[in-house]
Amino acid sequence: MPNPFFQFKQFVVYHDKCAMKVGTDGVLAGAWTRVENARRMLDIGTGSGLIALMLAQRNTTASIVAVDIDEGAVVQARENVERSPWKHRIEVCREDIRHVPEDWGTFDVIVSNPPYFVEDVKCPQRQRNTARHTDDLDFEALLSAVARLLSDCGTFSVILPAAAAADFIALALGKGLFLSRQTWVHPREELAAKRVLMAFGRNPLPETEVTHLVIESSVRHVYTPEFENLARPFYLAL
C-alpha cells in the first residue's frame, strides 16, 4: 500500500484524501517560484497544500491563501497546514478561483500547478478528473483569474507540460501578462524537456530569462547538482 504521507525537512504532507499525490511538479513549482519581498501569496489548486507549505517555509512573513474546488483536497490541506509550523499564516479555502469575492484583493505572488490533461479519455473518478483535466479550470479561465488577482508588481508562476508552453504564453499575453522567466525541465540530459516552469508579470521585460534544468544524471535516480540545490531545503535525503 502506498505511503499516505511524504515527509519533508520541516513539514509533513498527507495525500491519502487527495486525487493528486505529492510529486516532482509540485516540488518544482514551490521551490522555483521567487517569493522575496512578497506580503501576500496565493496557491491556486492547492491539493494537499504542498506548494503553500513550501512558500511559507521560504518566505517567513507573508500570508498565504490556498484554494481548491475539491472538498477532499481542502480537508487534507487544512489538516496538513494545522500540523505545520505556519498554521497561522496559511488560510485554506474551498473556492472556485473563477468566482472569488472582490474583497480578496490582490497578491504579490500567485502559483499554480494546474490541471492540464485535455485528452478525451478520462478516468472514472470525478475527483481525479478535476485535479488532472482542464474541464473545470481551463487555461483561459486560470489566466483571467490571475489577471484580476495579481498585484501591479506581482509575479504569477506555473508549471505545465512543455508542449503547452506556446499556447499558454499567447493566452497570457492576451490577458496583459508577459513572460519574464522560463525554465525547461528535462528528466535526464539526453531527453527533451517534459515540463516548463514559467513566470509572468504585468510589465514586459527587454529579455526573458531562459534556463534549463535536468532532474536526473545519466545514472537513474541520481539527481543532478542543479536539482539538488533547488530541492535541498525540502528533501530529507539531500
Side-chain angles (χ1 to χ4, degrees), residues 96-102 105-106 110 141 143-151 202:
D96 185 335
I97 199 64
R98 297 169 295 186
H99 308 297
V100 296
E102 291 292 331
T106 60
I110 300 177
L143 286 163
S144 293
V146 170
R148 284 190 295 107
L149 295 167
L150 190 66
S151 65
R202 295 196 182 278

Side-chain angles (χ1 to χ4, degrees), residues 45 48 57 113 128 141 143 148 155 176 190 197 210-211 221 224-225 231 237:
S48 64
Q57 178 180 324
N113 175 16
R128 189 164 174 82
L143 286 163
R148 284 190 295 107
T155 301
E190 71 274 15
L197 290 151
V210 179
T211 58
H221 300 312
T224 64

Side-chain angles (χ1 to χ4, degrees), residues 5-222:
F5 66 90
F6 198 101
Q7 179 69 56
F8 291 91
K9 284 182 177 178
Q10 296 190 34
F11 58 92
V12 61
V13 176
Y14 281 81
H15 51 195
D16 52 301
K17 297 173 184 173
C18 297
M20 298 305 290
K21 310 308 179 187
V22 170
T24 304
D25 284 6
V27 171
L28 284 169
W32 182 86
T33 297
R34 289 177 177 162
V35 299
E36 299 83 0
N37 304 316
R39 293 178 299 176
R40 298 187 75 216
M41 298 192 281
L42 174 65
D43 174 16
I44 298 176
T46 193
S48 64
L50 168 63
I51 292 175
L53 290 162
M54 293 179 72
L55 298 179
Q57 178 180 324
R58 295 180 58 219
N59 181 317
T60 59
T61 59
S63 62
I64 299 163
V65 177
V67 301
D68 206 293
I69 199 171
D70 179 71
E71 182 178 4
V74 169
V75 169
Q76 185 106 79
R78 284 175 177 164
E79 291 173 350
N80 288 328
V81 166
E82 187 63 26
R83 295 186 188 97
S84 79
W86 313 291
K87 61 183 180 181
H88 299 301
R89 292 199 290 120
I90 304 174
E91 180 183 5
V92 182
C93 305
R94 187 184 183 191
E95 291 282 355
D96 185 335
I97 199 64
R98 297 169 295 186
H99 308 297
V100 296
E102 291 292 331
D103 61 5
W104 271 34
T106 60
F107 296 85
D108 306 306
V109 170
I110 300 177
V111 188
S112 186
N113 175 16
Y116 50 72
F117 290 98
V118 294
E119 72 273 14
D120 292 333
V121 179
K122 302 179 182 178
C123 68
Q125 185 183 352
R126 169 65 182 171
Q127 184 189 37
R128 189 164 174 82
N129 273 338
T130 298
R132 290 172 59 88
H133 294 268
T134 60
D135 292 4
D136 292 282
L137 183 65
D138 62 31
F139 291 159
E140 185 166 2
L142 171 62
L143 286 163
S144 293
V146 170
R148 284 190 295 107
L149 295 167
L150 190 66
S151 65
D152 289 343
C153 296
T155 301
F156 166 53
S157 297
V158 64
I159 184 166
L160 293 173
D167 287 344
F168 196 86
I169 293 168
L171 285 169
L173 187 60
K175 305 293 182 184
L177 300 170
F178 300 90
L179 181 67
S180 61
R181 184 174 170 229
Q182 186 175 46
T183 297
W184 299 97
V185 183
H186 303 256
R188 294 196 300 276
E189 188 171 6
E190 71 274 15
L191 298 178
K194 298 294 186 183
R195 296 285 185 268
V196 61
L197 290 151
M198 296 184 288
F200 298 84
R202 295 196 182 278
N203 303 306
L205 298 180
E207 189 174 351
T208 299
E209 178 186 335
V210 179
T211 58
H212 292 259
L213 173 67
V214 179
I215 295 179
E216 288 186 354
S217 70
S218 56
V219 180
R220 186 162 173 78
H221 300 312
V222 175

